[in-house]
Amino acid sequence: MFKIGEFSRLTRVSARMLRHYEKCGLIDPAEIDRFTGYRFYSAGQIPLMNRIVMLRDAGFSIDEIGEVLAHGEDARFVREVIERKRAEIENAVALERDKLRNLARLADVMKGEAMGMIYEVELKRLPAVDVLATRGVLAAYDREGELWHKLGAYMGRHGIACEAGGYSIYLDEEYKDAGALVEVAVPVRQMGASDGDFTYKTLPEIGLAATVRFKGPYNQYAAATEKLGQWMEQNGYAFAGPLRGQAIVSPGDRADPADFLTELQVPVEKR
Amino acid sequence: MFKIGEFSRLTRVSARMLRHYEKCGLIDPAEIDRFTGYRFYSAGQIPLMNRIVMLRDAGFSIDEIGEVLAHGEDARFVREVIERKRAEIENAVALERDKLRNLARLADVMKGEAMGMIYEVELKRLPAVDVLATRGVLAAYDREGELWHKLGAYMGRHGIACEAGGYSIYLDEEYKDAGALVEVAVPVRQMGASDGDFTYKTLPEIGLAATVRFKGPYNQYAAATEKLGQWMEQNGYAFAGPLRGQAIVSPGDRADPADFLTELQVPVEKR
DNA sequence: CTTGACTCTTACACAATGTCAAGGCTTATG
DNA sequence: CATAAGCCTTGACATTGTGTAAGAGTCAAG
């Protein structure tokens, strides 16, 4: 039997974590002295501890480790869990890659130089439009493409004709990092029956909308809002509804993001 | 001027975080109503907010963002910070890669199948050895190679003859995830003068050592300790000093980790 | 005046891990 | 046997960025 410090050196897990794993139900000492509270681990527990370490080093959380250990015999379960975790890690790698891409653009941004072009703000009336729409909660705004794919696939399956100029409508009252409710909609010539997530509806007319167009990838959004915000402040307008973007030239039309043309549209009212 | 909710939608930063950034000194509202406490942001603050978002999305912590903003004009500073962050992110990517590698080995471990081979525990006397040693705090045990490189470079610079059978001595009382104090040492035929981090010393004789050899990469360490622990428990021995490993066949001798042969050595005493 | 939408502050929560403090045990040494 | 050094115990707090909730105040429209 080993005292906690010895077991710690042997397994390379800190005593702090040994106690923590115990509280989380991963591993109990083989024996606890009833009077002193000293923990004693047996050599037979080293394999279990090594599994825990292995799982931890593969990126599993404590809860997940508990689950895996409970189903340790079920090879199929283990295989599935591993596959799921693999996807998760690949995703994390992709996130780090995103950071690198952002980093590369950073020097320009810090100098206040924006790529792409932003046009002047216009005030106009936007007519009502019949659309086919679907919505979803996105992990981040740059995942909007997923919704478009979903909508595109549905339209393909049902042979629905697609007009140009899709809308992205940002429904959340307030931005949430972990989940933004976004609706994507394509104009249709003919309404149909709604079907689950996919609904036909009419986007109402916007009597007074402030609009600004920007060319380039969607991360130009930030620069465009600068202009829009400034215009609203200078001209004394206030928000009167959710912001939306209309794809004038979209990924469907051109491959190069530098060619994209997007119009930001927001209902406003004179203050 | 925009209320916090409007500014939140415009910049895609949650009101929660706007307040948080304010407390951290990144951005103050242009105005705060003295009576109601309501925050008001001006359109002129959107560019600043966009920079903050950009930095955040590139992986900077709030403190780091503050620092970068404070030195925003200093292009050289910005360049250096970006380079440092790039290295950090690449490192994070490497960590995720490590997880993937661990994941790949996981199925075998869960089945209790270890790769490589582990030999029987032996009890023996280990003579004193003259060594050249250096030590360092490692982020993780699999970074031990860094210390060996450091030592090897020093020996090369000073033309010191190197004998086979280097030692890794794990000095920490208790494992710490964030920094394990490890000493690496190579036997030398002739002692010299210590020089900064590099010290000549004599590893004292170990009268009674339990040893176990294992073949294969160093992550076999875990499996080897299982055997060692079991042996100690069954035969009634207890630890009497820090654990060390001796490289019998090391990366210097063979390229394929499967060929490595390592002997774990720990001073013990009969209980 | 009521109601609903917005805002304010404060506090709690997460995950994995370190660190510290106060106090109890153990063991070696004088 | 007494004391000190070193190990062990529990419990609490900190980290980081973000959500959420509670309770109270504000604002604008009907």
Side-chain angles (χ1 to χ4, degrees):
Chain A
M1 305 285 263
F2 303 97
K3 284 201 281 189
I4 198 167
E6 295 168 332
F7 199 67
S8 166
R9 264 164 285 167
L10 210 47
T11 58
R12 292 182 165 172
V13 174
S14 75
R16 171 73 170 83
M17 291 320 293
L18 287 175
R19 299 194 188 100
H20 190 52
Y21 292 155
E22 177 184 343
K23 195 163 57 172
C24 298
L26 294 192
I27 183 171
D28 284 322
E31 196 183 317
I32 296 185
D33 185 303
R34 179 171 339 194
F35 304 109
T36 68
Y38 276 30
R39 291 164 175 81
F40 292 94
Y41 294 85
S42 78
Q45 295 184 289
I46 300 177
L48 171 56
M49 200 60 232
N50 284 340
R51 284 184 185 201
I52 292 174
V53 169
M54 198 65 202
L55 286 159
R56 183 194 62 183
D57 290 348
F60 288 87
S61 75
I62 291 184
D63 284 351
E64 289 167 336
I65 293 174
E67 218 182 321
V68 174
L69 290 180
H71 297 76
E73 306 312 316
D74 183 348
R76 161 120 163 260
F77 177 90
V78 170
R79 221 177 315 122
E80 277 169 18
V81 153
I82 288 177
E83 181 47 38
R84 220 176 313 140
K85 181 56 75 176
R86 204 186 55 73
E88 199 177 301
I89 298 175
E90 306 249 329
N91 190 45
V93 171
L95 284 184
E96 297 296 328
R97 287 270 160 70
D98 286 351
K99 288 188 196 172
L100 285 175
R101 253 188 297 119
N102 283 314
L103 207 53
R105 283 179 37 223
L106 202 53
D108 295 330
V109 173
M110 289 303 293
K111 277 182 282 182
E113 291 166 13
M115 306 167 313
M117 209 187 310
I118 297 167
Y119 300 87
E120 291 305 313
V121 174
E122 277 182 71
L123 195 60
K124 55 187 173 186
R125 192 188 70 86
L126 298 172
V129 204
D130 291 339
V131 296
L132 170 63
T134 190
R135 52 175 65 184
V137 173
L138 297 179
Y141 278 112
D142 53 9
R143 300 292 189 74
E144 201 185 294
E146 297 167 14
L147 281 181
W148 286 107
H149 281 135
K150 187 176 140 195
L151 188 59
Y154 180 84
M155 292 195 307
R157 269 204 309 280
H158 296 263
I160 298 163
C162 146
E163 308 239 327
Y167 295 92
S168 315
I169 305 161
Y170 306 109
L171 293 159
D172 262 3
E173 297 312 302
E174 191 180 274
Y175 177 84
K176 301 268 175 63
D177 236 22
L181 181 57
V182 176
E183 181 169 272
V184 298
V186 286
V188 290
R189 206 175 296 264
Q190 199 178 356
M191 301 287 269
S194 295
D195 169 12
D197 257 5
F198 303 91
T199 59
Y200 285 92
K201 58 163 73 172
T202 302
L203 298 181
E205 171 190 282
I206 302 178
L208 208 55
T211 67
V212 59
R213 293 181 168 209
F214 62 89
K215 195 165 180 176
Y218 289 119
N219 46 43
Q220 282 296 300
Y221 171 94
T225 55
E226 283 178 24
K227 205 138 188 176
L228 190 58
Q230 239 128 23
W231 180 91
M232 286 174 64
E233 189 166 292
Q234 273 163 21
N235 297 83
Y237 284 89
F239 286 117
L243 203 146
R244 76 187 191 194
Q246 185 175 16
I248 311 292
V249 176
S250 72
D253 306 316
R254 299 292 193 83
D256 185 358
D259 290 333
F260 296 171
L261 184 61
T262 308
E263 180 170 288
L264 230 50
Q265 304 169 338
V266 57
V268 294
E269 62 195 6
K270 193 77 185 176
R271 191 163 32 192
Chain B
M1 304 286 265
F2 303 96
K3 285 202 283 188
I4 198 168
E6 295 169 331
F7 199 66
S8 166
R9 264 165 283 168
L10 210 47
T11 59
R12 293 183 163 172
V13 173
S14 75
R16 172 72 169 84
M17 292 318 294
L18 287 174
R19 298 193 189 101
H20 190 53
Y21 292 154
E22 177 183 344
K23 194 164 58 172
C24 298
L26 294 192
I27 183 172
D28 284 321
E31 197 184 317
I32 296 184
D33 184 302
R34 180 172 337 197
F35 303 108
T36 68
Y38 275 32
R39 292 165 175 81
F40 292 93
Y41 295 86
S42 78
Q45 297 185 288
I46 300 177
L48 171 56
M49 200 60 232
N50 284 339
R51 283 184 185 200
I52 293 174
V53 169
M54 198 64 200
L55 286 159
R56 184 195 61 185
D57 290 348
F60 288 87
S61 75
I62 290 184
D63 284 351
E64 289 168 335
I65 294 174
E67 218 182 322
V68 173
L69 291 180
H71 298 75
E73 305 313 314
D74 184 348
R76 161 121 163 260
F77 177 90
V78 170
R79 222 178 313 122
E80 277 169 19
V81 152
I82 287 177
E83 182 45 39
R84 219 175 315 141
K85 181 56 76 177
R86 204 186 55 73
E88 198 178 301
I89 298 174
E90 307 252 332
N91 191 45
V93 171
L95 284 184
E96 297 295 327
R97 287 270 160 69
D98 287 349
K99 288 187 195 171
L100 285 175
R101 254 188 297 118
N102 283 314
L103 207 54
R105 283 178 37 223
L106 202 54
D108 294 331
V109 174
M110 289 302 294
K111 276 182 284 182
E113 291 165 14
M115 305 167 315
M117 208 188 310
I118 297 167
Y119 299 88
E120 292 305 314
V121 173
E122 277 182 71
L123 195 59
K124 55 187 174 187
R125 193 187 69 84
L126 299 172
V129 205
D130 291 340
V131 296
L132 170 63
T134 190
R135 50 174 68 184
V137 173
L138 297 179
Y141 279 111
D142 53 8
R143 299 293 189 75
E144 201 184 294
E146 296 166 15
L147 280 180
W148 287 108
H149 281 135
K150 187 176 140 196
L151 188 59
Y154 180 84
M155 293 196 308
R157 269 203 311 279
H158 296 263
I160 297 164
C162 146
E163 307 239 327
Y167 296 91
S168 315
I169 304 159
Y170 306 109
L171 292 161
D172 262 1
E173 298 309 304
E174 188 180 274
Y175 176 86
K176 302 267 176 62
D177 234 23
L181 181 55
V182 176
E183 181 169 272
V184 298
V186 286
V188 291
R189 206 174 297 261
Q190 198 178 356
M191 301 287 268
S194 295
D195 169 13
D197 258 4
F198 303 91
T199 60
Y200 284 92
K201 59 163 73 173
T202 301
L203 298 181
E205 172 189 281
I206 302 178
L208 208 54
T211 67
V212 59
R213 292 180 169 211
F214 62 91
K215 195 164 180 177
Y218 289 118
N219 47 42
Q220 281 298 299
Y221 170 94
T225 55
E226 283 178 22
K227 203 137 186 178
L228 190 58
Q230 238 128 25
W231 180 89
M232 286 175 64
E233 191 167 291
Q234 273 164 22
N235 297 82
Y237 283 89
F239 287 116
L243 203 146
R244 77 187 190 193
Q246 185 175 16
I248 311 291
V249 175
S250 72
D253 306 317
R254 300 291 192 83
D256 184 358
D259 289 334
F260 295 172
L261 184 61
T262 308
E263 180 169 289
L264 229 50
Q265 303 170 338
V266 59
V268 294
E269 63 194 7
K270 193 78 186 175
R271 191 164 32 186

